[in-house]
Amino acid sequence: MPVPDQASAAPVIDEVPAGPDRSTLRLALVVGGLVLAVLLGFGLGRLNATGAATGSPSLAAEHTDPPGVAPHNHGSATAADQGAATEAGGLAVSSAGLTLAPLGTEFAPGRAGQLRFQVRDAQRRPVTRFAIVHDKPMHLIVVRRDLTGYQHLHPTMAADGTWSVPLTLPQPGVWRAYADFTVVADDGAQTAVTLGTDLVAPGDYRPRPVPGPATSTTVDGFTVSFQGTPQAGTTVPLTFRVDGAGGGAAALQRYLGAYGHLVALREGDLGYLHVHPETELVDGQIKFWLTIPGPGRYRLYLDFQVNDKVQTAEFTLTTP
């Protein structure tokens, strides 16, 4: 039969097969399987990336850092875990889309007052969801700019997101307040942040010189000493021993879920580090892993508890 030319040929609809032949079907199945595998891999990759970015395995507004789980630093907006580089925090009033908003910054020297503040989001709305970290949703550190008068406080929050805590600034001068907290987002993601602001106690400010470096000090009859050589940019162990008046090791108690809490403040800009120790005592000593962010002189404040009373031992540390 002659083949019609292109101009006169018409589609022969009734000759189109009713379904695909076997080879076409096999090809379709193979292609479909490949597409499905790619889509599943993409979805799982996004899921894993989201979990790694948030660091939150669930939506609970609970403590993702149980007491003593792992020694770590609270520095900048992202907490630096053991072995990782860290930066000093508390240098800014705003970070990670959050702002520390004090409702008053002036205090009469030596008179009891009330510090009230809010943490606000990028839309200026008060934040009200905070994770419980080391037994508290908010840790507030206050110190005068000459590194004297250290206080570790725990404010309480009202329903509208306003935090308040009794505060006395014993001496005139400019004081630095650090709000150390972890915010919980609507999707359960948690962001650890340390924000700082200045407080003022008007009067004749006479700064005190920072004491020279020492590895031992006494406080309320206890002798506290440490071993270790911190180095800028390197994580090193730092162990503290607390001895009682009789010379033996003091019976340390857990305070805020740990045997000790260490705050380091850098002279000059007052950069802030808050370090937590190993879960258990090591040979009767409190062991920290400390990463100094840079050279300079630092003041160390070690909080520990004996006989239900919290003590603070202070040291000066210089790193090249």
Side-chain angles (χ1 to χ4, degrees):
M1 175 178 181
V3 178
D5 60 45
Q6 185 173 359
S8 61
V12 185
I13 298 175
D14 59 354
E15 292 184 2
V16 176
D21 58 22
R22 291 180 181 274
S23 61
T24 304
L25 181 59
R26 284 196 297 269
L27 179 60
L29 289 174
V30 171
V31 172
L34 290 174
V35 171
L36 180 60
V38 170
L39 291 176
L40 285 174
F42 178 74
L44 290 174
R46 285 181 57 86
L47 180 61
N48 290 336
T50 301
T54 61
S56 177
S58 70
L59 298 182
E62 285 299 325
H63 188 173
T64 59
D65 173 28
V69 161
H72 59 277
N73 301 328
H74 288 188
S76 57
T78 301
D81 291 334
Q82 174 184 348
T86 188
E87 293 295 333
L91 297 176
V93 73
S94 294
S95 180
L98 302 167
T99 298
L100 179 61
L103 306 185
T105 59
E106 185 171 312
F107 293 78
R111 293 186 183 179
Q114 191 87 357
L115 176 63
R116 301 174 68 242
F117 62 92
Q118 292 179 336
V119 176
R120 296 175 182 168
D121 63 17
Q123 288 73 45
R124 303 293 294 170
R125 299 171 301 191
V127 177
T128 57
R129 296 187 67 196
F130 296 81
I132 304 298
V133 179
H134 290 271
D135 292 351
K136 299 292 181 179
M138 178 71 68
H139 296 264
L140 185 77
I141 304 297
V142 178
V143 66
R144 199 166 70 161
R145 281 201 165 265
D146 61 357
L147 300 176
T148 64
Y150 169 89
Q151 301 179 52
H152 184 165
L153 308 172
H154 300 105
T156 57
M157 188 186 74
D160 67 351
T162 299
W163 294 88
S164 60
V165 64
L167 176 64
T168 300
L169 302 182
Q171 302 293 335
V174 178
W175 296 68
R176 190 70 174 170
Y178 304 89
D180 186 340
F181 57 89
T182 297
V183 168
V184 182
D186 291 339
D187 62 359
Q190 300 189 11
T191 303
V193 183
T194 301
L195 302 177
T197 190
D198 282 346
L199 308 175
V200 178
D204 183 15
Y205 172 47
R206 298 183 180 183
R208 300 176 186 173
V210 175
T215 58
S216 181
T217 188
T218 58
V219 53
D220 198 20
F222 296 97
T223 299
V224 186
S225 58
F226 76 86
Q227 291 183 329
T229 306
Q231 304 173 34
T234 302
T235 301
V236 298
L238 205 63
T239 57
F240 288 82
R241 178 181 177 87
V242 180
D243 290 321
L252 296 171
Q253 300 171 313
R254 292 188 184 274
Y255 168 60
L256 301 176
Y259 283 108
H261 294 267
L262 183 65
V263 168
L265 298 178
R266 182 168 55 195
E267 184 182 29
D269 62 1
L270 270 64
Y272 168 95
L273 294 173
H274 186 181
V275 193
H276 298 123
E278 296 278 5
T279 306
E280 302 295 337
L281 296 174
V282 179
D283 296 328
Q285 302 179 70
I286 313 168
K287 185 175 184 178
F288 297 88
W289 292 89
L290 180 63
T291 308
I292 293 293
R297 187 158 61 165
Y298 292 79
R299 193 71 170 154
L300 306 183
Y301 307 88
L302 173 70
D303 291 332
F304 63 94
Q305 181 171 280
V306 179
N307 296 327
D308 299 325
K309 183 178 180 181
V310 178
Q311 307 283 354
T312 301
E314 303 183 14
F315 304 86
T316 299
L317 174 70
T318 300
T319 60

